[in-house]
Amino acid sequence: EPEVTQTPSHQVTQMGQEVILRCVPISNHLYFYWYRQILGQKVEFLVSFYNNEISEKSEIFDDQFSVERPDGSNFTLKIRSTKLEDSAMYFCASRPGLPGSGLNEQFFGPGTRLTVL
Amino acid sequence: KQEVTQIPAALSVPEGENLVLNCSFTDSAIYNLQWFRQDPGKGLTSLLLIQSSQREQTSGRLNASLDKSSGRSTLYIAASQPGDSATYLCAVKNSGGSNYKLTFGKGTLLTVNP
């Protein structure tokens, strides 16, 4: 069964460093998302991406964050200068977006645990 | 702003029991509601999705109901097993817009004891 994959599973970085989190959405899905979950807190929406551009972003997604779909398969989240409070689990999700069953259902990857020291 | 609340925060039951997890949302103008399972330190597994026009969805031992007007959903788990132990998350997608961002509750931590 197709699934969303994410790499790395765990990333440790120093404050102020840039990190890139990678995701491979399910092929033929059209909508892509990043969410994050700080330990013990709710899963929070960061950004949605469609047709090679950001379609919506939350207040969390400030200028330090960017997303890119550099090729036909990868979807990346970059944090330019990490802060301690960026430590969280980051989830990528994708959605078909095409007519038919399951077009609304979001499928999540296993997450990348980011630890900022 | 949509807020999603899940009660109880934690639940411990003996194996074989039927149980109900509750989810409430403040803005009833939702497009759909999705239940997820999250194992410790792991990703989210989609269990059931209910469209706003539906009242319930079933998958195996799981049954999710939706009362949109009252802002409530329940997840019913029949004949619980130790393997059902996990955190169960409820998430809603508001009506309007095409981005389908989800607003999550904090989850219910379920422990099924053998």
Side-chain angles (χ1 to χ4, degrees):
Chain A
E1 187 173 332
E3 58 183 19
V4 177
T5 59
Q6 291 185 242
T7 54
S9 57
H10 191 189
Q11 173 98 43
V12 180
T13 190
Q14 295 290 327
M15 190 170 57
Q17 294 296 305
E18 174 184 288
V19 295
I20 298 176
L21 310 182
R22 292 185 165 80
C23 168
V24 179
I26 295 172
S27 69
N28 82 355
H29 282 196
L30 302 180
Y31 292 83
F32 314 114
Y33 306 83
W34 284 102
Y35 293 81
R36 79 171 185 189
Q37 185 179 33
I38 295 171
L39 188 64
Q41 298 189 23
K42 295 182 179 183
V43 176
E44 303 172 286
F45 168 78
L46 291 178
V47 65
S48 59
F49 191 86
Y50 170 71
N51 200 26
N52 282 320
E53 60 183 23
I54 290 173
S55 46
E56 187 172 354
K57 58 184 181 180
S58 71
E59 60 274 12
I60 302 169
F61 195 89
D62 61 22
D63 292 343
Q64 292 299 312
F65 292 87
S66 62
V67 289
E68 193 178 30
R69 189 153 162 82
D71 52 44
S73 59
N74 291 285
F75 179 50
T76 62
L77 173 69
K78 182 194 290 187
I79 309 175
R80 253 177 282 282
S81 178
T82 50
K83 307 183 190 73
L84 295 176
E85 54 265 35
D86 293 327
S87 294
M89 184 76 104
Y90 288 80
F91 294 108
C92 172
S94 68
R95 177 172 75 87
L98 291 169
S101 64
L103 88 158
N104 299 325
E105 191 170 358
Q106 288 190 30
F107 296 85
F108 282 71
T112 293
R113 179 167 298 285
L114 176 65
T115 301
V116 182
L117 303 176
Chain B
K1 182 186 171 186
Q2 181 71 273
E3 294 286 341
V4 179
T5 303
Q6 291 187 247
I7 294 172
L11 181 63
S12 181
V13 300
E15 182 177 3
E17 222 174 76
N18 303 325
L19 57 100
V20 174
L21 308 180
N22 297 291
C23 170
S24 62
F25 42 95
T26 54
D27 184 351
S28 62
I30 66 166
Y31 188 80
N32 61 40
L33 183 147
Q34 202 166 348
W35 281 94
F36 294 88
R37 168 188 174 134
Q38 183 177 29
D39 292 284
K42 303 289 186 184
L44 309 179
T45 302
S46 179
L47 298 173
L48 290 163
L49 181 145
I50 312 179
Q51 300 291 357
S52 62
S53 58
Q54 298 174 319
R55 299 206 46 104
E56 65 179 298
Q57 280 284 351
T58 299
S59 176
R61 294 182 293 108
L62 305 180
N63 176 277
S65 68
L66 174 64
D67 184 344
K68 190 180 139 179
S69 60
S70 68
R72 292 181 185 173
S73 175
T74 60
L75 180 67
Y76 174 83
I77 303 177
S80 57
Q81 302 170 358
D84 294 331
S85 298
T87 296
Y88 290 80
L89 302 176
C90 164
V92 301
K93 188 275 173 190
N94 276 19
S95 297
S98 61
N99 299 313
Y100 286 75
K101 71 174 185 183
L102 294 175
T103 302
F104 282 82
K106 205 168 177 183
T108 293
L109 175 61
L110 173 65
T111 303
V112 182
N113 301 299

